[in-house]
Amino acid sequence: SVVGVEEIPPSDTDKYGRLLRYVYADGVFVNGELVRLGYAEAVSYPPDTRYQWQLEQLEKEAKAAKRGIWGE
């Protein structure tokens, strides 16, 4: 497996000190995959909004399919 950080968002950490990163593993956007599978929400805090539109679309897909946290 190849895991990498594509880029660091404008903010290095969130208000709780957690690192913010866009992560890829074997060419898969891990952040997006977590949202698509319903294991994460699409939440953004400006100025870190580069992938927000994509993540929101993946969240809609997860909700419609009732995956993960959106299941009944």
Side-chain angles (χ1 to χ4, degrees):
S1 291
V2 176
V3 177
V5 175
E6 178 191 289
E7 63 184 279
I8 298 172
S11 302
D12 187 46
T13 59
D14 67 9
K15 66 181 181 178
Y16 302 105
R18 297 175 293 199
L19 293 174
L20 301 175
R21 300 293 184 266
Y22 299 122
V23 178
Y24 284 81
D26 293 329
V28 175
F29 181 38
V30 175
N31 309 58
E33 194 65 5
L34 290 171
V35 172
R36 186 185 73 79
L37 294 173
Y39 297 130
E41 293 182 66
V43 178
S44 70
Y45 302 96
D48 306 311
T49 59
R50 178 171 181 176
Y51 295 103
Q52 190 57 29
W53 184 86
Q54 177 184 357
L55 295 171
E56 286 173 355
Q57 297 307 306
L58 292 169
E59 183 178 285
K60 287 178 186 177
E61 177 186 320
K63 285 180 177 179
K66 297 184 173 154
R67 293 188 201 118
I69 61 177
W70 311 114
E72 293 182 3

